[in-house]
Every structure is written in C-alpha cells, then in structure tokens.
Amino acid sequence: MLVSETSASADDAVGGTPAPAMLSVRGLKKVYQTDGGEIEAVRNLTFDLRPGELACLVGPSGSGKTTLLKCIAGLMAPTEGEVLLDGTRVSGPPKKMAVVFQEYGRSLFPWMRVRQNVELPLKNQGVPKAERDRLVDEALEAVGLSHVPQSYPWQLSGGMQQRVAIARAVAYQPEVLLMDEPFAAVDAQTRADLEDLIRAVWKKLGVTVLFVTHDIDESVYLGERVIILSSSPTVVQEDIIIDLPQERDQLNTRALPRFTELRHHVYEQIQLAKKGHRPAASVS
Ligand code: ADP
Ligand code: MG
C-alpha cells in the first residue's frame, strides 16, 4: 500500500511560519438552476494553493472541474463559499489570473495573426509598445513559435494553436495560471511535448498553476501535487504530494516505480470515489 503524504495545508509550513495561501477555495458549492430543476455540480470544495505551486486537479468527467475553474476565474459566482486571491474575495475576473481553456480553437481570433493574438491582452492593459514587443517575443520563444508570428491560427496545427493560447497567457505574466484540460484535443506526441512545455514555463516564471485534467497519468507526470476530486456530489477526495524528481522526462519519469505507485494510488482513489467512499474527515 502506498504511503501517500497528504499535502501540507497553508498553516503548517516548515519552521512554524505560516505560508500565506495565494489562492484559497473555501466551502465552494455550485448549483445550476435549469428548466429541468437544480443540478448540484460541486458540493463542497476547500483547498489552498501556495505561491509558485504546480497543482493538478483530477476528477472524472462531470465532476465539476470546469465549474470550479469558472468560479476561481471569477467568471461565475459560487452558490455558497468563496474564492480568495491573496486574501481578497474574487468577484470578477482578477487581473492577476490567466485561463487557458480546452477549446483553443474558439479562444483565438481567426482574423488576427499569432503575434496579435498574443499581444491583445497586453494592449488592453495599456502596456507600452516596446514592452509588449519584448513580452510577446519572449512568450513565443518559450513555446517554440518564434518562427510563425505572422501566421493566422487556422494555418497552424492543433498543437501549435494551443501553444499560441499558452503564449498569450505567459506573455500576460499572470500570478496564477488556470488550465482546463488544455491538451484534451491534441494527439499523444504533441500532448507529451506540451506537458513538458508547461513544466518548463512553470519553472521559468515561478507562476502558480492549477492544471485541470481527467487524465490520471498526466496529473501525476505534471504535478508537484494532485488534488483528487470525487465524482458528483463533488468534494476533495484526496490531496497528495507528488514526490517525483523535479527534472522529469517522458521516458524515464514514467518508467519510475514511484510513478507507477502514485498513478495506481490516484486511480484507486478515483475508483473508491465512484463507489461512493467518501474521504476521511481530515481531508476536506
Ligand atoms: P467537468 O468539467 O468535470 O466535466 P462540469 O463542471 O462541466 O464538469 O459539469 C459538472 C456538472 O454540472 C455536470 O453534471 C454538468 O452537466 C453540469 N453543468 C455544467 N455546466 C452547466 C450549466 N451551465 N447549466 C447546467 N448544468 C451544468
Ligand atoms: Mg470540463
């Protein structure tokens, strides 16, 4: 049986000094009102992310992952509970956040070139031209798209389009980057490349990342921490530290016995959740 370490909460940091949470989700509940009645998408979610963490949130389809991200991003109000960013309640899209959605095809403007797409949020922020140019160049470089700044999104492959969406988020220099199953629609090889890209960008920028996926392997490979959601009614089933080496690569990391153990553990937790085993009281 795998000994899994439950992630430390924000108030038990090393040395007794509380590490302040960057992002706090507190008792979040979301009920949709529909013509057919009420749909409880999320029952009660509580967790914290500390500055610079790379956490994956994994849960079955329909468990409310997108609903949660929309609440965190201030695009939708929770029915109960709250989201705090640096201690301030989120009530609309915060400036410090960027979101990369699954449907990149719909998030890029087809009539704008790659460069303009990446530059747009900076322009809207009133960032001066020289600074904009520098940030866009750096972001395109970081995602390996320096060679196609003048292309239109529709001229690029799916994986490249998703990299444009990532470059746009990176250029914006967010403190928190939310990603909602961003690689679900690309092929396996591209997906592996994009996973490595996210870890590289995270290391370089020190940004706090919450990466949502339904793919167990992906959550373990990418995350420094994995928050496992139960199936509906959704709560946090478990919250584990991924104690794999910092330097990861697709071949060697996935071949580690520890990778297999962690993967097995996450899988088992999701199966338990499906069978209705609720988490222990200590894990909220
Ligand atoms: P996930 O992203 O984990 O697949 P979602 O957050 O998309 O889950 O959906 C969670 C639940 O909420 C599902 O049962 C879904 O059908 C329902 N749901 C999502 N969005 C809406 C909406 N706008 N109106 C009504 N029900 C919704
Ligand atoms: Mg979703």
Side-chain angles (χ1 to χ4, degrees):
M1 160 79 195
L2 173 101
V3 183
S4 75
E5 202 183 335
T6 299
S7 173
S9 73
D11 15 68
D12 51 36
V14 194
T17 325
M22 168 113 218
L23 183 75
S24 287
V25 175
R26 298 261 150 261
L28 193 127
K29 175 179 178 140
K30 179 68 190 182
V31 178
Y32 289 107
Q33 308 290 341
T34 70
D35 294 342
E38 294 190 338
I39 297 174
E40 186 190 66
V42 172
R43 173 157 295 181
N44 185 352
L45 288 178
T46 296
F47 62 89
D48 284 338
L49 290 192
R50 288 180 297 280
E53 267 199 292
L54 167 49
C56 288
L57 191 112
V58 66
S61 289
S63 59
K65 301 183 296 298
T66 298
T67 301
L68 167 66
L69 273 205
K70 284 182 180 165
C71 291
I72 294 177
L75 299 169
M76 198 164 68
T79 309
E80 279 177 27
E82 60 182 1
V83 176
L84 303 173
L85 181 63
D86 276 335
T88 305
R89 189 180 186 142
V90 170
S91 55
K95 278 196 173 158
K96 298 174 181 176
M97 251 183 223
V99 192
V100 176
F101 289 107
Q102 179 175 348
E103 293 166 335
Y104 47 85
R106 281 205 269 160
S107 78
L108 299 175
F109 294 109
W111 61 88
M112 285 186 184
R113 297 175 192 274
V114 165
R115 193 174 183 88
Q116 295 170 306
N117 264 287
V118 175
E119 190 182 17
L120 187 66
L122 298 171
K123 245 183 170 169
N124 291 343
Q125 287 280 305
V127 176
K129 173 93 174 81
E131 175 78 353
R132 273 193 333 249
D133 284 348
R134 185 182 66 78
L135 289 167
V136 173
D137 285 343
E138 279 177 15
L140 289 176
E141 169 82 34
V143 303
L145 286 181
S146 299
H147 59 301
V148 287
Q150 299 304 327
S151 298
Y152 289 98
W154 46 267
Q155 294 176 307
L156 307 175
S157 68
M160 288 168 94
Q161 289 179 30
Q162 189 58 306
R163 281 192 276 158
V164 178
I166 295 168
R168 186 170 57 187
V170 165
Y172 183 71
Q173 297 186 293
E175 289 179 27
V176 178
L177 176 58
L178 306 175
M179 307 187 94
D180 190 7
E181 308 209 32
F183 311 148
V186 295
D187 63 84
Q189 179 58 55
T190 306
R191 185 174 189 143
D193 292 346
L194 290 173
E195 286 167 1
D196 290 334
L197 171 69
I198 291 304
R199 281 196 61 89
V201 163
W202 166 70
K203 267 194 210 153
K204 189 164 174 234
L205 302 183
V207 61
T208 308
V209 180
L210 183 62
F211 186 101
V212 165
T213 179
H214 65 263
D215 185 317
I216 295 166
D217 284 59
E218 181 166 81
S219 71
V220 173
Y221 180 73
L222 258 186
E224 298 287 300
R225 170 182 171 196
V226 173
I227 301 167
I228 306 166
L229 296 188
S230 70
S231 38
S232 187
T234 308
V235 296
V236 174
Q237 180 77 12
E238 214 193 6
D239 188 340
I240 62 168
I241 297 286
I242 301 298
D243 52 3
L244 292 170
Q246 273 267 324
E247 288 303 321
R248 299 186 192 174
D249 74 82
Q250 295 286 347
L251 280 181
N252 296 309
T253 306
R254 287 176 190 270
L256 292 173
R258 186 62 180 156
F259 181 86
T260 314
E261 268 180 356
L262 287 162
R263 182 193 176 284
H264 181 96
H265 183 78
V266 174
Y267 188 85
E268 200 171 51
Q269 286 301 315
I270 290 181
Q271 291 306 312
L272 282 175
K274 277 190 190 159
K275 288 185 198 142
H277 286 254
R278 308 310 282 175
S282 59
V283 184
S284 46

